[in-house]
Amino acid sequence: MQQPTGRKYMIPTRIGTFLLVLVASFTCVSRAQAAEEPTKAPVPNIVLIMADDMGFSDIGCYGGEIPTPNIDRLAADGLRFTQFYNTGRCCPTRASLLTGLYSHEAGVGRMVYADDGPGYYGHLTDQCVTLGEVMKAAGYQTLMAGKWHVGHAPGQWPSDRGFEQFYGIHLHVDSYFKVLKSCEVYHNHQMAIPATADPPNTLHPDQEWYTTDVFTDWAVKFVGEAAPADKPFFLYLAYNSPHWPLEAPAENIDHFRGKYLDGWDKLRETKLTRMKQLGIVRKDTVLSPSENPAWETMGKANRPELDYRRAIYAAQIERMDQNIGRVVAELKRTGAIDNTLILFLSDNGCCAEGGMYGYKWKQNRMGNHAQWRKESARSSSTGQAWACASNTPFRLYKHWVHEGGIATPLIAHWPKTIKSRGELTHQPGHVVDIMATCCDVGGAEYPKTRSGKPVPAMRGMSLLGAFRNPDTIHPRTLYWEHERHAAIREGNLKLVSLDAVDASQWCLYDMDKDRTELNNLASEMPERVEAMKQQWTDWARQTHVLPWIKDRKR
């Protein structure tokens, strides 16, 4: 660059030389200091994706028969947990996931439709903090799309609990093609779509409203707007898929028609074989007993009908997988993928609600599908028989705290940190760990108070250690209660009861050797049973489970 020639800009030669030497000296020192100080890694983005009522072994990378290539790619480049747990039901799981507390401590021990006092208020309390609040305080942009379901009165909404951007439904989402009464759609704090049978697809007016697609549309929009900013983002994407009713686009249903004509018995056997091959379960795992009627007894007229119901359920999961692929594609487009922690899990095991063959089994059939494909609510469900296959190889379903109700796949994908690509970890974990993990990886501080009131300490453990070394196992003690179903897992032993109030119901199982809960060790280890029962009782008193469940029927 040409030097200025005006007199007032000139520097005497000796002084100029001195200044040049001085500047050079400071430059050398600065460079030396920079070389000594390690470059601070950028704070990661976090994307938390939750499925609704999906069985442990439905997706491909956990042995499932449903093609889920996008989820499977996350697993192939990430880490799969084989012993991760939810709480057995949608509202309690969401409460624990969002707060890092057992659901009763957060006020949602059961569902959100009644206020039954401490532990069972039916909404998140003022004394707990959410991931939205904690990550926002840590400098994150906080985003959410989908199903909230932990408080639907004003003051309890996502926009009241730390989420700066929200598009979704505060209550249940028992429809894919409609917006049901009391389940209006909100954008931030404003109602965006009232109850209607023909909701507009705001972002894509030329496309039909389908919740899985629409929730993804808004998640992708939020990521696209947030990724270029200097601040990291936290996205919670809560699908209602594959919760009943059975509703899916025709092109997805067509992929699966006729693929289930061999029935649920054969499906359970083939899934277990794949799970053993993948290392999800031990080679000596035995299927839990089935209460299903033998497939051969169903008759030629009913088998195609049952195949069709399972085909729609599978179509819902396939569509969700396709939409997760869209989220990943947006992360790649924005350059955020390598430094984004993606977590995928389900809120509980597959649902047996609706009887053995599902809601309205006799009324809603293949021949009149055009009439009920958008009926919504309790128009249809997968039923107990197919739910048993979804939860292979475990016992029972959503609502229960046997493994079929509480075991969830958990996939963690984070290229910058998870180097053991495609591997498994057998570290036991629980949805209470999500808060601790997000605080750990995001540098967030979990507060001691909220609005001047003390906040209970986190119950969870950060999963970052498992991300770095999947072979390390930390012993855990974990607890459950839902509708008087109760359990405690201490190390490899799990004490579980169909009714915590009935002392005769407690059974003891070795989770290392017997995940399918077939060999009751209670009579062989009576002292351990009593000690674990006392531990559970102490926990239940601390978390407001007792005396509540003793005073009420289920």
Side-chain angles (χ1 to χ4, degrees):
M1 185 176 71
Q2 185 178 4
Q3 294 294 324
T5 57
R7 184 178 180 87
K8 62 181 178 180
Y9 295 110
M10 293 181 66
I11 301 175
T13 303
R14 291 182 182 177
I15 298 176
T17 303
F18 172 76
L19 289 175
L20 287 172
V21 172
L22 189 62
V23 169
S25 299
F26 278 119
T27 302
C28 291
V29 171
S30 298
R31 286 175 178 168
Q33 288 175 337
E36 292 174 3
E37 295 176 2
T39 303
K40 189 175 182 180
V43 178
N45 307 301
I46 301 173
V47 174
L48 175 59
I49 305 174
M50 176 171 280
D52 194 340
D53 281 17
M54 189 187 77
F56 180 79
S57 57
D58 275 330
I59 56 179
C61 56
Y62 276 76
E65 84 289 357
I66 303 170
T68 50
N70 295 292
I71 295 173
D72 294 353
R73 275 192 289 272
L74 294 176
D77 289 333
L79 183 67
R80 282 166 293 164
F81 286 72
T82 64
Q83 300 193 53
F84 203 80
Y85 291 108
N86 50 54
T87 73
R89 192 84 178 273
C90 47
C91 296
T93 289
R94 284 165 171 74
S96 284
L97 181 89
L98 284 163
T99 65
L101 304 174
Y102 285 108
S103 60
H104 313 81
E105 297 174 290
V108 191
R110 198 171 182 181
M111 298 293 279
V112 297
Y113 306 109
D115 182 346
D116 289 322
Y120 302 85
Y121 286 121
H123 60 84
L124 297 181
T125 71
D126 293 337
Q127 289 182 265
C128 65
V129 290
T130 71
L131 280 166
E133 292 164 333
V134 172
M135 301 313 289
K136 181 180 178 182
Y140 275 73
Q141 303 169 82
T142 50
L143 323 168
M144 182 187 170
K147 173 180 173 180
W148 179 241
H149 217 192
V150 285
H152 50 276
Q156 302 168 1
W157 298 347
S159 47
D160 299 312
R161 298 307 304 251
F163 287 94
E164 299 167 302
Q165 294 287 345
F166 169 72
Y167 188 91
I169 297 173
H170 297 144
L171 204 56
H172 53 265
V173 192
D174 298 343
S175 178
Y176 290 81
F177 294 110
K178 296 178 180 179
V179 174
L180 301 181
K181 186 177 180 181
S182 300
C183 302
E184 295 81 5
V185 178
Y186 279 76
H187 182 199
N188 296 331
H189 221 73
Q190 300 296 319
M191 184 188 298
I193 303 177
T196 175
D198 188 23
N201 188 332
T202 310
L203 295 181
H204 300 284
D206 58 323
Q207 298 177 15
E208 185 176 39
W209 170 281
Y210 186 71
T211 55
T212 309
D213 296 346
V214 172
F215 294 158
T216 305
D217 292 340
W218 284 87
V220 167
K221 173 180 168 62
F222 292 157
V223 168
E225 294 171 347
D230 293 334
K231 298 167 60 176
F233 60 85
F234 171 82
L235 169 67
Y236 174 36
L237 175 54
Y239 289 115
N240 60 308
S241 177
H243 191 290
W244 49 263
L246 300 175
E247 295 181 347
E251 63 265 28
N252 294 101
I253 298 172
D254 290 344
H255 292 170
F256 297 97
R257 291 191 65 175
K259 293 188 176 180
Y260 293 100
L261 290 173
D262 287 339
W264 40 71
D265 300 321
K266 182 68 173 177
L267 180 58
R268 294 183 81 218
E269 292 170 3
T270 56
K271 287 178 76 171
L272 179 57
T273 298
R274 284 195 294 269
M275 295 175 80
K276 291 178 179 180
Q277 292 169 346
L278 291 169
I280 302 294
V281 296
R282 287 171 51 125
K283 298 289 186 183
D284 58 357
T285 299
V286 178
L287 276 175
S288 61
S290 167
E291 298 177 350
N292 299 347
W295 180 254
E296 290 73 16
T297 67
M298 295 311 300
K300 292 183 178 180
N302 282 328
R303 290 178 200 170
E305 297 285 352
L306 292 164
D307 166 86
Y308 193 60
R309 288 213 163 194
R310 179 69 180 185
I312 305 176
Y313 175 83
Q316 292 175 151
I317 292 178
E318 181 187 59
R319 190 73 170 204
M320 178 177 64
D321 177 77
Q322 292 168 346
N323 276 278
I324 290 172
R326 293 175 55 209
V327 175
V328 173
E330 182 64 8
L331 291 170
K332 290 179 177 178
R333 186 193 69 79
T334 59
I337 187 69
D338 286 341
N339 198 36
T340 296
L341 168 62
I342 302 174
L343 297 170
F344 171 80
L345 72 164
S346 180
D347 67 343
N348 44 250
C350 192
C351 174
E353 292 166 359
M356 186 62 69
Y357 312 121
Y359 289 122
K360 296 189 177 180
W361 158 247
K362 294 183 178 180
Q363 302 99 303
N364 291 338
R365 315 280 278 187
M366 278 194 298
N368 65 334
H369 185 224
Q371 282 71 52
W372 60 271
R373 72 176 289 265
K374 294 185 181 182
E375 183 181 329
S376 297
R378 287 177 169 79
S379 64
S380 54
S381 62
T382 193
Q384 178 179 313
W386 286 124
C388 182
S390 284
N391 295 335
T392 300
F394 301 136
R395 286 181 61 185
L396 297 175
Y397 321 92
K398 170 185 176 181
H399 293 267
W400 284 269
V401 296
H402 284 68
E403 297 292 284
I406 60 175
T408 177
L410 174 69
I411 298 168
H413 180 276
W414 186 10
K416 280 200 172 181
T417 298
I418 298 175
K419 304 302 181 184
S420 51
R421 310 286 171 84
E423 291 190 15
L424 305 170
T425 178
H426 304 300
Q427 169 64 53
H430 187 285
V431 287
V432 294
D433 297 337
I434 301 301
M435 172 67 84
T437 304
C438 290
C439 287
D440 198 1
V441 304
E445 183 178 350
Y446 184 83
K448 295 182 179 179
T449 62
R450 181 181 187 273
S451 301
K453 298 178 181 178
V455 172
M458 282 189 292
R459 290 284 191 164
M461 176 188 82
S462 173
L463 304 175
L464 186 57
F467 295 169
R468 291 174 173 158
N469 186 357
D471 295 329
T472 301
I473 303 297
H474 295 282
R476 306 287 304 278
T477 300
L478 301 169
Y479 302 88
W480 292 266
E481 185 280 326
H482 184 64
E483 296 180 327
R484 289 174 35 169
H485 307 311
I488 171 176
R489 175 169 172 169
E490 184 180 32
N492 287 332
L493 290 179
K494 178 183 176 186
L495 187 70
V496 60
S497 175
L498 293 171
D499 185 354
V501 179
D502 184 347
S504 68
Q505 292 288 327
W506 292 93
C507 299
L508 185 67
Y509 301 104
D510 184 335
M511 291 290 99
D512 181 43
K513 300 175 182 178
D514 183 26
R515 270 297 295 280
T516 49
E517 299 168 307
L518 302 179
N519 183 24
N520 182 8
L521 303 174
S523 62
E524 300 174 28
M525 306 174 71
E527 293 181 359
R528 192 64 184 272
V529 169
E530 289 306 313
M532 291 178 70
K533 195 190 303 184
Q534 185 60 52
Q535 279 182 272
W536 182 89
T537 301
D538 292 343
W539 167 84
R541 288 200 178 101
Q542 292 169 12
T543 55
H544 312 293
V545 173
L546 294 174
W548 192 90
I549 60 170
K550 286 188 175 181
D551 299 335
R552 291 163 175 82
K553 297 180 180 178
R554 294 185 188 180

